[in-house]
Structures are given as structure tokens and as C-alpha cells.
């Protein structure tokens, strides 16, 4: 108990103080502090060494810091009284910074809730609050504008219309998107350049401009994204359902309608399994969408593009502020443990 631990592999630089007596793996280096050092002071020393950890880390897939390099670590060792003062100072200042970070993270949550509510309102109630309403006949949709229709997804779009066969040329090049490549804002944020031979067996579903991909595996990730001007040969995982809107449904509207909390929560609630919950595409195809006339669909899509972009820009600014606060936190700890900040008043 009280031993300071530092990970030198995988999560390189992770540090903590043991709350009880136990054993660790050889991937963790342990320091038992004696009379000349405080555990919490040493912990803050390690949390100020991010640059040093990056410099010493070796490997790409399996990252590690070699034990001889760990042995080269050095740090100023002030008196116990000064160590206690430094710890008290860091606790106070990081608590203040952490409080600011927590407030900004809450603001991001509120902005995302606003974004989701805006989408739900637009694709189920429209943009004109004065139009007459009617009961949709679908519990989760509630009332919709009187001139709208309600139709099942399978009557509005083709699902998984194109796939690569097993006999595909092994040298065929593709751009591949997996479930983890789509974020919860409906953006493709990661893709891989592969050949058919080197791609995973789930890299099968071909997509075109105007499609919408909906995760049917690990549905709790809510990985749903429109496909816009894809690179030639783009293929997505069989963990996605590829929804190709037909005559009555526009891509702009479908991309938002399929991301409403009502639709997504129904998909998640009806998924089967624990580790990898999934839903059959044929079941999802029976779910209803509120369908306005095509010109109104386009207007709703354009409106949501504008408003969502404004909210996303605000979120990006807040996240940038959070990153700066975290950098300040690290710099403050480093300055305190290297004596660049005079904290002697904390000892009195």
C-alpha cells in the first residue's frame, strides 16, 4: 500500500498509487517511497514527464519503455516539508482546472442534446410549427404534419444492394470503413487503404454517393453516416446495413431521419446479444419513417446541415478550450515539481 506504479508498456506513462497490498505484472515499475519522499509527490513527478515518456517509447504496435531507460529517470528531491507544500499546491490548482474542464464537458453534453433534439423535431414535426398535425399511428413517432405520410424503410430504400463476391480479384484495391471508423456525429473519421486479399472477411459491402450506412452490429455505438462523394472502390463492413434511398426518399433527409433518437433507440432496444449486440437488417427495414414531400425533405436537410454545423463549431471550440486547460494542468504540475513555481507558502 502506498507504492507508486508506472506502466512502461501498452498504456505507457500510466501512473497511480496502490490503495492496498497486491502484486503487479512486470509491465509495471514500482517505487516504494522511503523517509525522504512522498508517494503523491513522486506521482506528480511522473505526471509531468509526458514528453520524456514519448521520447523513450519504442515500438509501434507494442509500445514500451525499456527498463535500462527507466533507470535513467531523475528528479529534484526537495525536503519533505517542500514536497508536502508542492502536493498541496498541485491539489488545489488542479482541482480548480478540473472543475473548469467538468463544466465545459457538461456544456458539450448539452450542445449534443440540443443537436439531437433539433434533428428529432425537424424530421418528425417539420419546420413550420403552424401546420395542422395528425396522429401518425406509430407510438414512437407520435403526431406528424397532416400532409406527411408514414412508410416502412423497406418501401423507401434498398438495403445492401451491392456486395463483393468471394471470387473478387485478390489484388483489387479498396478503401475500407469499419464500425469504429464512424463517430457519433455521423462522420467517417477513419478509413484504410487495402487490397481484397489483405482486407478482413467483413469488408464486403459496396457503397455509392447518396447511400447511408447504419451499424447493425454493436448498435450502441450509433455509427450512422451518409456517404458523400466516396473514394473509388469504397467498401464498408458487413456490420453496417447500406441504405440506398429510392425515388421518394432523399439522402439528405434519410441521413438525419435514421439518426433520430427515436429510430436509433428502437434499433438498440431490439438488438440481440451482450458483447456484440446486433439487429437483423430485415427487422430494421420494417421500422417506419415520417415522410414529408420531397421539396420539404430537401429543406429539412439543408436546415439541419446549417444548424448542426453551428453546434458542431461550438463543440469544437469548447473541446479546444478543454485541451488547453489539460495542457495547462500538465505544465502546472511540471513547473511545481521542478521548482519553477515557488510554493513555499503552501507549507506555512
Amino acid at each position: 500500500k502506498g507504492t507508486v506504479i508506472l506502466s512502461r508498456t501498452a498504456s505507457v506513462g500510466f501512473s497511480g498509487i496502490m490503495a492496498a497490498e497486491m502484486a503487479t505484472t512486470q509491465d509495471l515499475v514500482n517505487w516504494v517511497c522511503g523517509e525522504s519522499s512522498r508517494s503523491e509527490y513522486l506521482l506528480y513527478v511522473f505526471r509531468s514527464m509526458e514528453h520524456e515518456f514519448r521520447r523513450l517509447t519504442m515500438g509501434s504496435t507494442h509500445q514500451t519503455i525499456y527498463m535500462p531507460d527507466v533507470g535513467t529517470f531523475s528528479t529534484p528531491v526537495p525536503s519533505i516539508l517542500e514536497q508536502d507544500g508542492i502536493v498541496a499546491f498541485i491539489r488545489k490548482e488542479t482541482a480548480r482546472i478540473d472543475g473548469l474542464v467538468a463544466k465545459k464537458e457538461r456544456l458539450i453534453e448539452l450542445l449534443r442534446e440540443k443537436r439531437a433534439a433539433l434533428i428529432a423535431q425537424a424530421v418528425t414535426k417539420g419546420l413550420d410549427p403552424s401546420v395542422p398535425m395528425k396522429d401518425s399511428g406509430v407510438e414512437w413517432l407520435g403526431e406528424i404534419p397532416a400532409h406527411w405520410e408514414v412508410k416502412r424503410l423497406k418501401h423507401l430504400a434498398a438495403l445492401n444492394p451491392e456486395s463483393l463476391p468471394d471470387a473478387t480479384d485478390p489484388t483489387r484495391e479498396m478503401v475500407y470503413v469499419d464500425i469504429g471508423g464512424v463517430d457519433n456525429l455521423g462522420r467517417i473519421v477513419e478509413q484504410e487503404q487495402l487490397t481484397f486479399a489483405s482486407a478482413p472477411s467483413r469488408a464486403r459491402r459496396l457503397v455509392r454517393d447518396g447511400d447511408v450506412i447504419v451499424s447493425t452490429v454493436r448498435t450502441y455505438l450509433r455509427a450512422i453516416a451518409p456517404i458523400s462523394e466516396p473514394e473509388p472502390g469504397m467498401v464498408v463492413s458487413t456490420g453496417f446495413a447500406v441504405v440506398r434511398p429510392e425515388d421518394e426518399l432523399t439522402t439528405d433527409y434519410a441521413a438525419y431521419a435514421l439518426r433520430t433518437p427515436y429510430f436509433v433507440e428502437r434499433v438498440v432496444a431490439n438488438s440481440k446479444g451482450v458483447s456484440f449486440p446486433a439487429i437483423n437488417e430485415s427487422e430494421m427495414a420494417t421500422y417506419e419513417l415520417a415522410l414529408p414531400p420531397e421539396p420539404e425533405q430537401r429543406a429539412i436537410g439543408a436546415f439541419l446541415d446549417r444548424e448542426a454545423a453551428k453546434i458542431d463549431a461550438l463543440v469544437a471550440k469548447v473541446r479546444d478550450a478543454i485541451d488547453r486547460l489539460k495542457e495547462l494542468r500538465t505544465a502546472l504540475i511540471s513547473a511545481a515539481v521542478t521548482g519553477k513555481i515557488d510554493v513555499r507558502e503552501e507549507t506555512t
Side-chain angles (χ1 to χ4, degrees):
K1 183 177 179 179
T3 296
V4 182
I5 60 171
L6 175 73
S7 176
R8 63 181 187 88
T9 65
S11 301
V12 173
F14 170 82
S15 57
I17 298 175
M18 302 299 284
E21 183 176 327
M22 60 182 69
T24 67
T25 73
Q26 62 183 6
D27 296 330
L28 292 170
V29 191
N30 306 325
W31 280 264
V32 180
C33 294
E35 294 180 358
S36 63
S37 57
R38 299 287 198 208
S39 296
E40 198 166 357
Y41 173 78
L42 185 57
L43 179 69
Y44 285 133
V45 168
F46 290 138
R47 292 188 175 175
S48 73
M49 292 176 61
E50 185 176 328
H51 176 75
E52 184 74 355
F53 294 149
R54 283 200 301 267
R55 184 180 72 82
L56 294 172
T57 297
M58 305 295 289
S60 53
T61 305
H62 184 76
Q63 295 186 322
T64 190
I65 297 177
Y66 296 122
M67 276 301 295
D69 290 328
V70 173
T72 68
F73 292 168
S74 62
T75 181
V77 183
S79 68
I80 285 292
L81 186 63
E82 286 182 288
Q83 288 182 45
D84 289 341
I86 289 168
V87 167
F89 171 81
I90 292 174
R91 278 180 182 168
K92 182 178 72 175
E93 294 302 316
T94 56
R96 184 176 61 82
I97 294 171
D98 292 345
L100 291 172
V101 168
K103 286 180 180 178
K104 291 188 181 300
E105 288 177 339
R106 176 57 182 155
L107 178 56
I108 288 176
E109 289 177 17
L110 292 172
L111 286 169
R112 286 182 171 170
E113 288 171 10
K114 179 180 179 180
R115 190 184 196 275
L118 191 72
I119 293 170
Q121 176 72 16
V123 301
T124 57
K125 311 300 179 190
L127 302 179
D128 183 356
S130 66
V131 298
M133 306 293 284
K134 68 178 181 183
D135 184 359
S136 66
V138 179
E139 182 180 356
W140 65 276
L141 278 176
E143 286 194 335
I144 61 173
H147 63 288
W148 288 21
E149 298 180 81
V150 174
K151 292 195 174 183
R152 296 183 188 277
L153 180 59
K154 65 182 179 182
H155 297 143
L156 297 170
L159 265 69
N160 304 326
E162 297 179 86
S163 295
L164 292 175
D166 291 340
T168 297
D169 179 356
T171 64
R172 175 191 172 119
E173 293 188 350
M174 64 174 71
V175 175
Y176 173 61
V177 178
D178 208 340
I179 299 288
V182 175
D183 69 11
N184 57 14
L185 294 180
R187 301 174 300 188
I188 295 175
V189 293
E190 186 178 329
Q191 54 192 39
E192 297 178 85
Q193 188 80 41
L194 302 169
T195 62
F196 183 79
S198 64
S201 60
R202 59 185 178 277
R204 288 291 186 273
R205 298 213 162 128
L206 288 161
V207 293
R208 293 184 195 169
D209 185 53
D211 290 344
V212 180
I213 54 175
V214 181
S215 60
T216 54
V217 175
R218 290 194 291 167
T219 49
Y220 56 84
L221 293 176
R222 293 164 166 77
I224 302 168
I227 302 297
S228 178
E229 299 180 355
E231 294 189 41
M234 180 174 278
V235 176
V236 302
S237 167
T238 53
F240 288 110
V242 177
V243 178
R244 185 162 295 168
E246 296 180 335
D247 296 339
E248 292 183 274
L249 183 65
T250 69
T251 297
D252 296 342
Y253 180 78
Y256 286 111
L258 296 173
R259 291 211 305 274
T260 59
Y262 311 110
F263 189 89
V264 174
E265 285 166 12
R266 195 174 183 192
V267 168
V268 173
N270 288 287
S271 298
K272 305 294 190 296
V274 179
S275 300
F276 294 93
I279 189 169
N280 192 290
E281 291 95 337
S282 60
E283 179 177 350
M284 189 180 74
T286 66
Y287 295 168
E288 301 90 347
L289 295 181
L291 189 71
E294 184 176 327
E296 202 169 343
Q297 290 183 47
R298 297 193 182 281
I300 290 171
F303 168 79
L304 289 174
D305 282 347
R306 288 194 306 272
E307 297 305 311
K310 291 177 187 176
I311 294 172
D312 293 345
L314 284 173
V315 168
K317 285 183 179 179
V318 177
R319 193 159 292 289
D320 184 55
I322 290 173
D323 290 341
R324 290 198 302 272
L325 283 168
K326 289 181 176 179
E327 288 170 5
L328 174 62
R329 189 185 196 278
T330 300
L332 182 142
I333 292 172
S334 179
V337 300
T338 55
K340 293 183 176 66
I341 298 176
D342 187 348
V343 300
R344 283 175 292 184
E345 64 182 33
E346 300 292 332
T347 67
T348 61

